[in-house]
Amino acid sequence: MNKLAFTFLLIITSAIGFSQEFQGMAVYETKTSTADMMKRVQSNPDLTPEMQKMIEERMRKAFEKTFILNFDKVASMYKEEEKLDAPGQGGGGMRMMMSVMGGGPIYKNAKNKSYAVANEFMGKEFLVKDSLPKINWQMTGESKQIGGYNCFKATAVMPAPKSDFRNFRMRDGKKDEKKEAKADEKKTNFMEDVEMPTEITVTAWYAPEIPVNQGPEKYWGLPGLILEVSDGKTIILCSKIVLNPKDKVAIKEPTAGQVVSQKEYDEIVIKKAEEMRQQWQNGSGRGNMRFPH
């Protein structure tokens, strides 16, 4: 058998292996850096060392999660691994923050170039439906092994998701004379202590041996499954892959919740977070905020 015939046979064999019935499952571990936030916590004179330690532990658990990606040749469903919360965990502001750190289950359809995210935010269910972001990946030619797969590096510059609190950066804390003069006035701007970058630089590693243009979260569009991705603050790394599992999973677009676009959902999150901040500062606690019907 000559080389050309062997190559053709290899392509045909691979195509059969990844037929329309093909399905896979990948486990991802995510970790978001909280160093800048912890510096602000540790510099707060009103917090005891015990309180700081408790906050640090809760933040660590909130920002380190495990997700499962079920995928086929066209679509995928990415959702957090279900775990029972320990007593006293995830309440109040921490629960609100966790609800927008990556959101709920994410369905992506590469053929239709669309996605749907089932989010529960402050007691209300939303279904965010929009077009998949166009990612202008730049291939670098670099490669490395991840879990036995030969992966290649690609980078892209993307707009920073406005409702994803993981992208927030604490301000540098430099003194502002105008703010010092108004120290007794109540702050009303939610973004006063944090800032959101307009863009993030993403680095991804994809495996051509798994020829699907899927990946974790809303990342997609590469000629192979994305096994690792980092935006400089959050890293998502695949720790396990099962191809053609015995137990198939139905990959269906979610339907429950009030349908909104990504822009509409971002505006709701920022507005409600601002209202919560104002109520806390006014001494009214969580308040009785309501969403419009």
Side-chain angles (χ1 to χ4, degrees), residues 30-293:
T30 73
K31 185 175 183 179
T32 299
S33 173
T34 60
D36 54 349
M37 297 184 191
M38 281 309 304
K39 285 181 181 179
R40 185 60 60 92
V41 170
Q42 293 166 356
S43 65
N44 189 331
D46 296 327
L47 297 177
T48 65
E50 291 75 16
M51 294 172 66
Q52 292 178 6
K53 184 177 180 180
M54 179 189 69
I55 293 174
E56 182 176 10
E57 179 63 18
R58 289 194 177 186
M59 289 179 64
R60 184 187 65 79
K61 290 182 178 179
F63 284 90
E64 294 182 11
K65 298 183 178 183
T66 301
F67 289 83
I68 307 296
L69 178 74
N70 290 292
F71 58 91
D72 57 28
K73 291 285 289 183
V74 173
S76 69
M77 177 63 79
Y78 181 76
K79 63 187 300 184
E80 184 179 356
E81 183 180 53
E82 295 183 2
K83 293 181 181 179
L84 292 175
D85 289 335
Q89 297 291 323
M94 184 63 70
R95 180 179 295 278
M96 183 200 73
M97 181 175 289
M98 290 174 67
S99 70
V100 289
M101 289 189 305
I106 302 175
Y107 169 86
K108 298 196 300 292
N109 189 307
K111 183 178 180 179
N112 298 336
K113 297 182 180 180
S114 64
Y115 70 88
V117 186
N119 277 341
E120 180 182 344
F121 179 59
M122 297 181 69
K124 185 176 178 64
E125 292 185 352
F126 293 93
L127 182 59
V128 184
K129 299 184 68 172
D130 219 316
S131 300
L132 280 168
K134 182 179 180 180
I135 306 176
N136 295 316
W137 294 108
Q138 303 296 317
M139 310 301 186
T140 68
E142 297 180 53
S143 65
K144 70 175 181 178
Q145 290 280 320
I146 299 178
Y149 290 92
N150 193 32
C151 296
F152 294 87
K153 182 180 178 181
T155 62
V157 177
M158 301 174 57
K162 295 181 179 180
S163 61
D164 190 341
F165 285 2
R166 295 174 303 176
N167 291 316
F168 285 178
R169 272 68 167 169
M170 302 303 294
R171 296 192 185 279
D172 58 17
K174 294 180 180 179
K175 291 185 178 181
D176 186 314
E177 293 182 0
K178 293 182 179 180
K179 289 184 179 180
E180 289 289 337
K182 298 182 179 180
D184 294 332
E185 294 183 10
K186 290 183 172 62
K187 299 177 182 179
T188 58
N189 184 3
F190 171 66
M191 301 300 292
E192 197 162 351
D193 293 329
V194 297
E195 57 187 356
M196 172 70 80
T198 57
E199 295 180 332
I200 54 176
T201 299
V202 176
T203 299
W205 295 86
Y206 65 96
E209 296 169 71
I210 309 176
V212 295
N213 57 352
Q214 294 284 348
E217 297 193 1
K218 296 172 189 171
Y219 297 111
W220 74 296
L222 285 168
L225 181 65
I226 298 173
L227 300 189
E228 180 181 330
V229 63
S230 172
D231 63 6
K233 192 165 178 75
T234 297
I235 183 169
I236 306 174
L237 178 62
C238 182
S239 60
K240 179 181 179 181
I241 297 177
V242 178
L243 299 180
N244 288 314
K246 292 182 179 180
D247 298 325
K248 302 294 184 181
V249 175
I251 302 175
K252 296 181 179 179
E253 182 175 350
T255 57
Q258 177 183 331
V259 178
V260 293
S261 68
Q262 187 64 61
K263 181 180 178 181
E264 290 171 333
Y265 181 72
D266 290 345
E267 292 173 349
I268 289 171
V269 169
I270 297 300
K271 180 180 178 181
K272 294 302 174 182
E274 164 65 10
E275 289 178 8
M276 176 174 281
R277 177 186 173 94
Q278 290 186 31
Q279 289 182 352
W280 279 346
Q281 289 179 337
N282 293 334
S284 56
R286 294 178 178 81
N288 296 309
M289 288 183 289
R290 293 290 183 269
F291 287 93
H293 295 287

